[in-house]
Amino acid sequence: MPEMTYLEAINTALREEMSRDPSVFVLGEDVGVFGGCFGVTQGLLDAFGPERVLDTPISETAIIGASVGAAAAGLRPVAEIMFMDFMGVCMDEIFNQAAKIRYMFGGKAAIPMTLRTPCGAGLGAAAQHSQSMEAWFAHIPGLKVVMPSTPADAKGLLTSAIRDDNPVIFIEHKMLYGVKGSVPDGEYAIPLGKGDVKREGSDVTVVATSLMVHKALAAAETLAEEGVEVEVVDPRCLVPLDQDTILKSVAKTGKLVVVHEAVKSGGIGGEIAAIVAEEGFDFLDAPIRRIGAPFAPIPFASNLEKAYIPSEETIIEAVRSLA
Amino acid sequence: MALSQEKLLELYRKMVTIRVFEENTAELFAKGEIPGFVHLYVGEEATAVGVIAHLKDHDYIASTHRGHGHLIARGGDVKQMYAELFGRKTGYCKGKGGSMHIADLSLGFLGANGIVGAGLPLIAGAAFACKYRGDDGVAVCFFGDGASNRGTFHEALNMASIWKLPAIFVCENNMYAISLSQELHQNIDDVADRAAAYGLPGISVDGNDLFAVYEAAEEAVKRARNGDGPTLIESKTYRWRGHFEGDPVVYRTEEELQAWKKKDPIERAKKRMMETGVLTEEEDKAIWEEVRSEIQEGIEFAKNSPLPEEESLLEDVYCE
Ligand SMILES: Cc1ncc(C[n+]2csc(CCOP(=O)(O)OP(=O)(O)O)c2C)c(N)n1
Ligand SMILES: [Mg+2]
C-alpha cells in the first residue's frame, strides 16, 4: 500500500472521481491556479481544465447555491469552502435548500453535491478561522456529515461522498493535511455510516472524531503502559452515525469517553453519550465522560489556543478517572 | 482644500509608519515570532491615510483582514498592535484576537475582520447610530475588490442608500482577491460603477496618490456629514507583498509588481511635498529615523510583554 498524506489522499480521490464521472466538477475560491488555500486541489486545473475546475469570486452564497442548482440539474459538484468558519455565509443554501429539497418535493429531486471544508484550530488563526462546527450540520435532516481522520479514510469516504446522491458535508481537519498514512491501491469506497475501531482494547472505549482520533490513539499508548487498554472508535461519519460499532464497544468495555475538538456543550459528543445512555445503559459501569473545547471562541495567543484545544493529557485523565 | 504643512507632514509620517510597521511585521513573521495569518498593507498606504485624515473622534471605521494600515492611520498605538500580533496580554485585544481582529473602540475602530465583506453591513449600522443620535458622525468601511462580490456589499450599499446613511464605502481595489485578478472575478473595470445600481455616487481614484484619495474622501465625508447619504469610493492600488505572508505568489508577474513599485505612494507624496517646499531631504530622513525607532520600541514592548493568563480563556465571552 502506498504512503500518502491526508491532503494527497483527498486530491487523489478528486482526480479519480473526476476521471471516472464527467458530471463531477470542482468549484471554490482559489481552487484553480492557486490549487486551493491549503493546496488540496493542486494540479486539478491542469488535469481537467477550467470548465471543470472553477475559480469563483468571493461569493459563498452563490458557490453553494449554484452547487445545489447544478446538482438538481444533474451534475455532481464538489464545492470547497476555504475555511469552515465561512459557512455562515452560505448557511441558507445548505440547510434550507440542499438539505430539504428532496423531502419538500416529495422525493422527486436529488442533490448529489459534496461540500468540502477544513475545520480545526492549531494554526493560531483565531476565532474566525479555526472552528469545528460539525454539530450544526449533524442537526439538519437531509445532510450527511463526514469527518475523516486518516488518509485512507479520507480517500475512501470522499469517493463515497461524491458518488452519494445526497448533499454531503465533508469536513477535513487542517492540521491533518500533512499527516501520512498508508492508503489502499486504486479506487475504493468506504461506505458512509460505517465507523471504524482504530485500536482494540478491553477497558475503556474512547469515541473520537477527526484530529482527536490521533490524540486518543497517543493517549491509549501511554495508558497501555499503565495497564489500561483503551479501545478507540472513530465514527468517521456523524450522519449517518454507526451506533452499532459504538454500542458494541461499550458493551465490551463498560466505560465511555467521547472526545471532539468542537465546543463541548451542544456538541456531537452529547448526542453520542445520549445514544449510549438510551440504548446501552445496562452496559455502563461508570458515568460517561465528554471532552470538548471550553465554551468560548477560539483565542489567538499560542498559549491560550493550546489550552483551548482538548489535549492528549485531558483524554488520559478522563480515562484514568474511569479505569 | 488646502492642506496645511503640518497636516501634510502628519499624513506623510503615517504612511511611513505603516510601511515600516509592515516591513518589520514581515520579518518577524518570517522568523516565526508571529503566529497565525498576517496580511500586509505595503503599497496601499495612501488609501487609509487619505481617507482617515478627514475623520473626527466620534466617527467609526470598519477594517479588513489587511487592517494594520487603517489602525495606524487612525492613530492606533503601535505598541499595543505589536503586542497583539505577538499574542501578548498587553495587546489591543489582550492576545485574544491577533492580526485579523485588532480593534480599538476608543478610536471608533470596529476591528479588523476575518470574514471578507463582513464590515459593510456593520458600518451601515454604525452610520445608522450616528444618524439616530443626530451628531454629525460618519462611518467608513474599507474592503477589497474581492469583497465587492459578496452579497453583503450589495445589501449594505442599498440599505445605506435608501436610509441616506452617513457612510463612506472605500473599496481598496488592489486588483487581486488572493490569486484571482480582478478580470477573473468580476466583469467590470471599476467597482465604482456598482454604486449606480443602488443610487449613490461612485468614484474611482488613483489610490497611490495621497492627494487624489484625500480629495475624494473630503467630498464623500462632507456629503455624509451634511445628511446627503453614502458614497462609494474606489481606490485603485496594489499590494506589494503576497496575499498573506508565506504566499508563493504564483498568480502574477514580477514585471507587474515592479511597475507598481514605481508608483510608490510614499515616494509620490514625498516628491510632491519636496516640489512644494513642504519637505526637505533632511526632514524626510529624520521622519524615517524617528518612525523606525518608534517601531523598534513597539516591537521591544511586545517582546517584553507577558503572555495572557490561562484563566483569561473564559473571560469576555459575555458581558458580566
Ligand atoms: C467570507 C470569506 N470568504 C473567503 C475568505 C478568505 N479570504 C481572505 S482574504 C480573501 C481575499 C480578499 O480579497 P479582497 O477583498 O480583494 O482584499 P485584499 O486581500 O485584496 O486586500 C479571501 C478570499 C474570508 N476570509 N471570508
Ligand atoms: Mg483585493
Side-chain angles (χ1 to χ4, degrees), chain A residues 103-183:
Chain A
Y103 186 82
M104 294 188 302
F105 294 0
K108 293 203 175 90
I111 307 297
M113 65 173 278
T114 304
L115 188 164
R116 296 181 32 250
T117 193
C119 73
L123 283 182
Q128 295 174 340
H129 284 74
S130 308
Q131 299 169 84
S132 297
M133 294 170 315
E134 62 274 11
W136 285 18
F137 303 97
H139 189 61
I140 300 165
L143 299 178
K144 293 190 177 180
V145 183
V146 185
M147 264 188 125
S149 66
T150 66
D153 286 353
K155 181 164 184 283
L157 290 166
L158 182 56
T159 300
S160 290
I162 295 172
R163 295 179 189 178
D164 200 286
D165 286 337
N166 298 286
V168 180
I169 310 294
F170 190 87
I171 304 168
E172 300 159 12
H173 197 296
K174 55 177 85 77
M175 302 309 284
L176 288 177
Y177 281 136
V179 168
K180 278 196 169 163
S182 47
V183 171

Side-chain angles (χ1 to χ4, degrees), chain A residues 293-309:
Chain A
F295 199 60
I298 296 159
F300 166 70
S302 307
N303 66 322
L304 295 185
E305 189 191 37
K306 186 161 176 285
Y308 181 92
I309 304 169

Side-chain angles (χ1 to χ4, degrees), chain A residues 193-241:
Chain A
K194 232 185 129 336
D196 189 36
V197 177
K198 295 291 187 208
R199 181 188 202 279
E200 293 196 9
S202 49
D203 299 327
V204 177
T205 298
V206 174
V207 175
T209 57
S210 192
L211 180 70
M212 290 299 142
V213 172
H214 299 265
K215 295 201 177 179
L217 288 170
E221 288 303 310
T222 307
L223 288 157
E225 286 162 24
E226 300 170 12
V228 179
E229 287 302 329
V230 172
E231 178 145 303
V232 178
V233 178
D234 176 2
R236 302 195 288 197
C237 294
L238 306 183
V239 182
L241 181 69

Side-chain angles (χ1 to χ4, degrees), chain A residues 7-57:
Chain A
L7 184 145
E8 287 162 347
I10 295 166
N11 182 276
T12 308
L14 289 169
R15 283 170 193 268
E16 286 177 1
E17 289 310 292
M18 290 182 82
S19 304
R20 203 182 61 88
D21 180 352
S23 69
V24 176
F25 71 101
V26 164
L27 72 167
E29 291 161 16
D30 303 282
V31 298
V33 177
F34 205 64
C37 184
F38 291 95
V40 177
T41 54
Q42 208 87 53
L44 295 185
L45 179 66
D46 285 342
F48 300 99
E51 294 79 22
R52 296 182 70 196
V53 181
L54 288 92
D55 270 322
T56 66

Side-chain angles (χ1 to χ4, degrees), chain A residues 28-35 37-38 42 55-62 82-83 85-89 123-129 131 174 294-309, chain B residues 34-37 83-88 94-101 112-116 146-147 149-151 177-180 184-186 244 247-251 307-314 317-318:
Chain A
E29 291 161 16
D30 303 282
V31 298
V33 177
F34 205 64
C37 184
F38 291 95
Q42 208 87 53
D55 270 322
T56 66
I58 306 175
S59 306
E60 286 81 5
T61 309
M82 192 184 283
F83 285 77
D85 313 68
F86 310 159
M87 283 173 76
V89 176
L123 283 182
Q128 295 174 340
H129 284 74
Q131 299 169 84
K174 55 177 85 77
F295 199 60
I298 296 159
F300 166 70
S302 307
N303 66 322
L304 295 185
E305 189 191 37
K306 186 161 176 285
Y308 181 92
I309 304 169
Chain B
I34 293 174
F37 297 131
E84 190 57 36
L85 296 189
F86 277 79
R88 300 303 161 104
K94 304 176 192 164
K96 296 259 184 75
S99 169
M100 279 193 292
H101 306 295
N113 212 309
I115 302 298
V116 168
N149 295 324
R150 273 216 48 208
I178 310 189
S179 69
L180 260 65
L184 294 177
H185 73 66
Q186 52 192 204
F244 48 80
D247 176 359
V249 202
V250 293
Y251 45 80
L307 298 173
E309 288 104 14
E310 247 175 60
E311 303 80 73
S312 73
L313 195 60
L314 289 169
V317 180
Y318 295 98

Side-chain angles (χ1 to χ4, degrees), chain B residues 44 66 144-147 172-178 185 239:
Chain B
E44 306 187 32
R66 200 177 302 290
D145 49 304
E172 304 178 312
N173 182 354
N174 58 13
M175 299 181 25
Y176 286 88
I178 310 189
H185 73 66
R239 65 167 154 77

